[in-house]
Amino acid sequence: MRAVRNQYLLDEDDVPTHWYNILADLDVSSSDVRRARPAAQPDGDARTADRGSTGANIPLSMYRGSVGTERHVRIPDPVRAQYQRWRPTPLIRAHRLEQALDTPAHIYYKYEGANASGSHKLNSALAQAYYYKKAGVQEITTGTGAGQWGTALSMACHALDLACTVFMVNCSYRQKPYRRVLMELNGARVIPSPSGTTEAGRALLAASPDGDGSVAIANAEALEHARSVTRGAFSVGSGENHVLLHQTVIGEEALLQMESAGEFPDVVIGAMGAGSNFAGLAFPFHREKLRTGAATRLVAVEPEACPKMTRGRYAWDYNDFSGTTPMTKMYTLGHTFVAPGVHAGGLRYHGAAPLVSALYDRGLMEAVAYGQKEVFEAGAFFARTENLIPAPESAHAVKCAVDEAVRAREENRPRVILFNVSGHGLLDLSAYDQYLAGTLEDHVVSDGHIAASLAGLPALDPVGGRP
Amino acid sequence: MRAVRNQYLLDEDDVPTHWYNILADLDVSSSDVRRARPAAQPDGDARTADRGSTGANIPLSMYRGSVGTERHVRIPDPVRAQYQRWRPTPLIRAHRLEQALDTPAHIYYKYEGANASGSHKLNSALAQAYYYKKAGVQEITTGTGAGQWGTALSMACHALDLACTVFMVNCSYRQKPYRRVLMELNGARVIPSPSGTTEAGRALLAASPDGDGSVAIANAEALEHARSVTRGAFSVGSGENHVLLHQTVIGEEALLQMESAGEFPDVVIGAMGAGSNFAGLAFPFHREKLRTGAATRLVAVEPEACPKMTRGRYAWDYNDFSGTTPMTKMYTLGHTFVAPGVHAGGLRYHGAAPLVSALYDRGLMEAVAYGQKEVFEAGAFFARTENLIPAPESAHAVKCAVDEAVRAREENRPRVILFNVSGHGLLDLSAYDQYLAGTLEDHVVSDGHIAASLAGLPALDPVGGRP
């Protein structure tokens, strides 16, 4: 092997055959990572079960693997074959970033943005479309923040000949018109949220006609829409156990690639929306830490505008704005929390995935929050040195990695840093334009805002076996 | 090897060590592929030579390899090291496109869009920046059509700490604002052309204030600007022998990859702007054809809006609108030809590269022209089936490949098709939006328009050893 290697590539035969289920390695009561109560809704198809925390009909075959304690869940052959069209994704050694920072740290990043959807979201979209199709579903509806999930789902639905309706958070709909085009190109119907097409949306529009919206609102609308559709289903792109499960292909590949690089990370970093980006990379390293006793730190990075982990509460809450879904236990700012319209739309979700929350609660990972300006500064710096424009979400991980590398220089101690560039920022260049023009704003949320939102947390529901 | 393979990947050690110089295998008089007369301009640095058809000071070290008959030109180590940051690029078997077309053809495409500049242009930008830097240049100025070349050059200049000024064709500047952001993010100064900053631009603005502009006009402005700058140089992203030379890394890799696929193409297809996209893929296959006697067809695809090969004349002409550059022999519509503002801005150049023109003149390749609507239809079809949005330029190659595959079905004869997806279309989604909305227009150029432009071809200049 050459001394200065840039790319750690794998063959398509190396695409993982199994997803990793962290429940096998996490000592939690099952109720902490499952639904709190069944939702009141019509019965679904016989092959589906209303058991996920979304309150939607989740195919049993998809659900089972994500709530059991089987460590390795086999990836269905047709899903793996889809993965093999673009996976394994590259692991890149960021030589130029290291030089620019004059750091003794070795910096690696996994790049998930090279597929057509532009982000890691396609990993779960293809899996979900496969399971829903098998369960007899004909239309999938979803909410999307920055549009990455909606784009991925529209592609997956097109590939499997399923109809697709996407409620897109209004501020992203305005900021990222190209995302809409991408979804429409793949046959999806895209509706800005809050919209006039659902009761939930109409109520919010009446109160605030120019509302930025939120993922929780878009999900509430999508849920309402899905229930009005024959053989329709509501799907989410993060947070749920099964979504985090699907994303573990990222970390499984990264483990192989770090091995071929002859290193093991001292810190693994991912941006934190609801958690699938972070978990996809970090969870397999959790398993490896347990196996080898490595002291690797796992760090989730959230925006100051939506600090669910660093400033939220570990509590039972709803996933959607209308409180229709069953509750799950999570780090949350309250399901009525509407984050300021930062460009990292994918990180504006009010809660953290139950699995990530449990990991955080047990002290098995860390969380850190950054302001929008410093994140874009790091993103632009990375773009210039590594020649890759990170999505605003991914730029959060970049910022954290840069800080770690600077600390390594200050302490004059080498360390191995691994982070996830979950998507490209080519459709977010208007935000970078604002950064260059100096018009980007930070949005720090006040303690009062958070306290008010947390005060609205639901009372515990006696049904569902919660503690 | 598995039966159904999607990706043919190579290791970074497989990045070619040499570019391929087609002059070694093309029986032409040297004057046909060199400059026609020296341009009147100040002397350059001692290490540069005013010998390229651009009329600019081209570093001798870069120039030599592209006008000699040495078959293999060594890629400087620092340039190859840059290539190794993202090359080799993947060769993809388009299984889903084949299925959708129900064709017996095997379809492969080389994908050059995964690097940060989004296109193949980075191959030459990095090489040129290296040579210019070595020759003592401190600022590089260029004209760009769709913005792909400008983006690539800005990144290369940033990497080598060179200043960069880009005159961007006005219709692209308006249609593709994100391209400007990308260039500015890399420190370039971007000026819409025609502009008020040069004499050439002011004259055109006075005549037509809302002019769409053209690559020839942008180049005229860039040339004028470069001459006003101390240690400045003017660089072009296509057409010149050295640019085509740099792009042959594409075809060299594709040869290796087709070999590992166990097939050899019956037809090799590339979109035709000035020629570097087509030549980069096709030239090494020309050499291989000569070696093996294969009957592979090489096809260049141009837009109906700028049919320099299918409807132009093989003649001596200027490269820029103002007629400042030395003349070269090329298929041309006349240097004053301004193509309609189609979205494939990179294909709006009035002439074909001397090397491609010579190949075409000798009957060693074919050319075909398509209308904008059918091109976007093919591009959208490709986007949906292969999940990759081709740049409007690349969509021309897609359209031709689809036609070849359909013909294979109609004739019930298998064939192996290879084409170049030179870039992604993520920054061209407004054009796809227009396609979806049905507002896209075809622009067929009238015979009269072409005849009028060709009537303005310069008289032959006695200096420079032309026939």
Side-chain angles (χ1 to χ4, degrees):
Chain A
M1 191 180 296
R2 296 183 318 121
V4 188
R5 177 156 290 275
N6 304 283
Q7 312 173 50
Y8 295 87
L9 305 177
L10 298 170
D11 188 84
E12 65 184 274
D13 291 336
D14 299 321
V15 166
T17 55
H18 291 74
W19 292 304
Y20 165 59
N21 175 16
I22 198 171
L23 280 172
D25 295 314
L26 192 61
D27 184 25
V28 294
S29 80
S30 67
S31 68
D32 275 10
V33 291
R34 297 195 192 179
R35 84 202 181 300
R37 64 168 173 79
Q41 62 169 34
D43 283 348
D45 183 278
R47 286 164 296 177
T48 69
D50 171 25
R51 303 190 61 181
S53 69
T54 58
N57 294 333
I58 293 185
L60 264 179
S61 51
M62 180 165 80
Y63 181 70
R64 277 199 205 101
S66 69
V67 294
T69 53
E70 195 188 352
R71 183 169 283 108
H72 299 286
V73 179
R74 185 166 183 82
I75 303 174
D77 287 343
V79 175
R80 185 165 179 266
Q82 291 273 9
Y83 286 172
Q84 287 176 315
R85 299 185 63 231
W86 86 94
R87 303 199 69 87
T89 60
L91 180 82
I92 311 282
R93 171 83 180 270
H95 286 297
R96 280 169 57 176
L97 184 64
E98 293 172 15
Q99 287 160 19
L101 295 171
D102 188 24
T103 178
H106 290 186
I107 310 177
Y108 295 84
Y109 60 93
K110 182 81 169 158
Y111 182 46
E112 287 288 310
N115 73 74
S117 82
S119 82
H120 69 298
K121 295 286 186 182
L122 196 55
N123 298 324
S124 186
L126 285 166
Q128 291 194 42
Y130 165 80
Y131 284 115
Y132 278 110
K133 173 101 178 178
K134 234 180 67 171
V137 163
Q138 291 172 350
E139 172 175 341
I140 302 182
T141 304
T142 195
T144 195
Q148 292 187 334
W149 167 245
T151 305
L153 189 66
S154 71
M155 287 178 180
C157 285
H158 184 272
L160 277 89
D161 204 19
L162 292 163
C164 181
T165 299
V166 179
F167 287 86
M168 184 172 184
V169 171
N170 197 27
C171 72
S172 292
Y173 188 88
R174 289 193 310 258
Q175 285 170 357
K176 305 177 183 184
Y178 283 11
R179 284 272 174 210
R180 169 186 58 76
V181 181
L182 263 183
M183 290 186 259
E184 288 177 350
L185 197 55
N186 283 280
R189 180 179 168 213
V190 186
I191 303 170
S193 166
S195 80
T197 66
T198 68
E199 275 184 44
R202 279 190 293 273
L204 280 154
L205 273 182
S208 162
D210 307 321
D212 277 346
S214 73
V215 179
I217 294 170
N219 280 347
E221 291 206 89
L223 197 47
E224 187 182 328
H225 175 85
R227 286 177 177 163
S228 73
V229 173
T230 311
R231 304 189 82 76
F234 166 69
S235 150
V236 291
S238 191
E240 294 294 303
N241 293 8
H242 60 263
V243 183
L244 274 54
L245 181 79
H246 301 156
Q247 295 295 355
T248 57
V249 287
I250 302 172
E252 293 291 2
E253 289 176 5
L255 275 171
L256 291 178
Q257 290 164 315
M258 290 302 305
E259 193 182 330
S260 83
E263 306 212 79
F264 195 81
D266 297 303
V267 54
V268 176
I269 302 164
M272 184 72 198
S276 81
N277 174 343
F278 165 77
L281 179 65
F283 279 8
F285 285 88
H286 173 76
R287 181 191 67 218
E288 203 60 12
K289 280 175 64 177
L290 292 181
R291 196 179 67 80
T292 65
T296 301
R297 296 157 50 218
L298 311 178
V299 184
V301 189
E302 58 187 14
E304 277 181 356
C306 195
K308 69 210 82 172
M309 300 191 79
T310 52
R311 296 172 67 195
R313 186 186 301 166
Y314 193 36
W316 292 88
D317 197 4
Y318 298 108
N319 293 81
D320 75 310
F321 189 86
S322 61
T324 311
T325 54
M327 289 185 284
T328 47
K329 196 169 178 187
M330 55 182 168
Y331 276 87
T332 180
L333 296 163
H335 63 286
T336 58
F337 179 86
V338 177
V342 291
H343 289 281
L347 308 185
R348 290 178 67 241
Y349 184 66
H350 66 279
L355 290 174
V356 175
S357 296
L359 205 64
Y360 188 51
D361 179 62
R362 273 67 171 173
L364 299 169
M365 60 171 284
E366 305 166 28
V368 61
Y370 290 112
Q372 178 160 255
K373 281 196 252 182
E374 59 189 340
V375 162
F376 271 88
E377 186 181 9
F381 182 69
F382 183 77
R384 289 174 185 136
T385 50
E386 286 295 313
N387 274 358
L388 194 165
I389 319 290
E393 292 80 6
S394 313
H396 285 74
V398 172
K399 167 64 180 161
C400 183
V402 166
D403 277 8
E404 290 286 340
V406 168
R407 225 173 349 256
R409 179 186 66 208
E410 289 166 354
E411 297 170 0
N412 197 23
R413 289 207 324 200
R415 72 188 69 179
V416 178
I417 301 167
L418 169 65
F419 66 102
N420 197 14
V421 178
S422 55
H424 66 67
L426 288 170
L427 303 185
D428 307 279
L429 283 169
S430 60
Y432 281 96
D433 201 18
Q434 287 176 36
Y435 164 73
L436 290 174
T439 58
L440 214 55
E441 285 178 9
D442 276 334
H443 299 274
V444 179
V445 181
S446 71
D447 288 338
H449 184 175
I450 292 175
S453 173
L454 285 175
L457 279 182
L460 288 189
D461 185 314
V463 188
R466 293 180 327 295
Chain B
M1 190 181 297
R2 298 183 318 122
V4 188
R5 178 157 286 276
N6 304 284
Q7 311 173 51
Y8 294 88
L9 304 178
L10 299 170
D11 188 85
E12 64 185 277
D13 291 336
D14 298 322
V15 166
T17 53
H18 292 75
W19 292 304
Y20 166 58
N21 175 16
I22 198 172
L23 281 172
D25 295 314
L26 192 60
D27 184 25
V28 293
S29 79
S30 67
S31 66
D32 277 11
V33 291
R34 298 194 190 177
R35 85 200 182 300
R37 64 170 174 79
Q41 62 170 31
D43 283 348
D45 184 278
R47 285 163 298 176
T48 68
D50 172 24
R51 302 189 61 179
S53 69
T54 58
N57 295 333
I58 293 185
L60 262 179
S61 52
M62 179 166 81
Y63 180 70
R64 278 199 204 99
S66 70
V67 293
T69 53
E70 196 188 352
R71 183 169 283 108
H72 300 287
V73 178
R74 185 165 183 84
I75 302 174
D77 287 343
V79 175
R80 185 164 178 265
Q82 291 272 9
Y83 285 172
Q84 287 177 316
R85 300 184 63 229
W86 85 95
R87 306 199 67 90
T89 61
L91 179 82
I92 311 281
R93 171 82 180 270
H95 286 297
R96 279 169 57 179
L97 185 64
E98 292 172 16
Q99 287 160 19
L101 295 171
D102 189 24
T103 178
H106 291 186
I107 309 178
Y108 295 85
Y109 61 92
K110 182 78 169 159
Y111 182 47
E112 288 288 311
N115 73 74
S117 82
S119 82
H120 68 298
K121 296 286 187 182
L122 197 55
N123 298 323
S124 186
L126 285 166
Q128 291 193 41
Y130 166 79
Y131 284 114
Y132 278 110
K133 172 102 177 177
K134 234 180 65 172
V137 162
Q138 291 174 349
E139 171 175 340
I140 302 182
T141 304
T142 195
T144 194
Q148 293 186 334
W149 168 245
T151 305
L153 189 66
S154 71
M155 289 178 178
C157 284
H158 185 272
L160 278 91
D161 203 20
L162 292 164
C164 181
T165 299
V166 179
F167 286 87
M168 184 173 185
V169 172
N170 196 26
C171 71
S172 292
Y173 188 89
R174 289 192 312 258
Q175 286 170 355
K176 305 178 183 183
Y178 283 10
R179 285 273 173 207
R180 171 186 57 77
V181 181
L182 264 182
M183 290 185 260
E184 289 175 350
L185 197 54
N186 284 280
R189 180 179 168 213
V190 186
I191 304 169
S193 165
S195 79
T197 67
T198 67
E199 274 184 44
R202 280 190 292 273
L204 280 155
L205 274 182
S208 159
D210 308 322
D212 277 344
S214 73
V215 180
I217 295 170
N219 279 346
E221 291 205 87
L223 197 47
E224 188 182 327
H225 175 85
R227 288 180 178 162
S228 74
V229 174
T230 309
R231 303 189 83 77
F234 166 68
S235 149
V236 291
S238 191
E240 294 294 304
N241 293 7
H242 60 264
V243 183
L244 274 55
L245 180 80
H246 301 156
Q247 294 295 354
T248 57
V249 287
I250 303 172
E252 293 291 359
E253 288 176 9
L255 276 170
L256 291 177
Q257 289 164 315
M258 289 302 306
E259 192 183 331
S260 85
E263 306 213 79
F264 195 80
D266 296 304
V267 55
V268 176
I269 301 164
M272 184 71 200
S276 81
N277 174 341
F278 164 78
L281 179 64
F283 280 7
F285 284 89
H286 172 75
R287 180 190 69 218
E288 202 60 12
K289 279 176 65 177
L290 292 180
R291 196 179 67 80
T292 66
T296 301
R297 294 158 49 219
L298 311 178
V299 184
V301 189
E302 59 187 14
E304 279 181 355
C306 196
K308 68 212 79 173
M309 300 193 78
T310 53
R311 296 171 68 195
R313 186 186 299 168
Y314 193 37
W316 291 88
D317 197 6
Y318 297 110
N319 291 81
D320 76 309
F321 190 85
S322 60
T324 310
T325 55
M327 289 186 283
T328 48
K329 196 169 178 187
M330 56 180 166
Y331 275 87
T332 181
L333 296 163
H335 64 285
T336 59
F337 180 85
V338 178
V342 291
H343 289 282
L347 309 186
R348 291 177 69 241
Y349 183 66
H350 67 280
L355 290 174
V356 175
S357 295
L359 204 66
Y360 188 50
D361 179 62
R362 273 68 171 172
L364 299 169
M365 60 169 285
E366 304 166 28
V368 62
Y370 289 113
Q372 177 160 254
K373 281 197 251 181
E374 59 190 340
V375 162
F376 271 88
E377 186 181 11
F381 182 69
F382 184 77
R384 289 173 185 136
T385 51
E386 287 294 315
N387 274 359
L388 191 166
I389 319 290
E393 292 80 6
S394 312
H396 285 74
V398 173
K399 167 62 180 163
C400 183
V402 166
D403 277 8
E404 290 285 339
V406 168
R407 226 174 349 256
R409 179 183 68 208
E410 288 168 354
E411 296 170 1
N412 197 25
R413 291 208 320 205
R415 72 187 70 180
V416 178
I417 300 167
L418 169 64
F419 66 102
N420 196 14
V421 177
S422 54
H424 66 66
L426 289 169
L427 302 184
D428 307 278
L429 283 168
S430 61
Y432 280 97
D433 200 20
Q434 288 178 33
Y435 165 74
L436 290 174
T439 58
L440 214 55
E441 285 179 10
D442 277 334
H443 298 275
V444 179
V445 180
S446 72
D447 289 339
H449 185 176
I450 293 176
S453 173
L454 286 176
L457 280 181
L460 290 188
D461 184 313
V463 187
R466 294 179 328 295

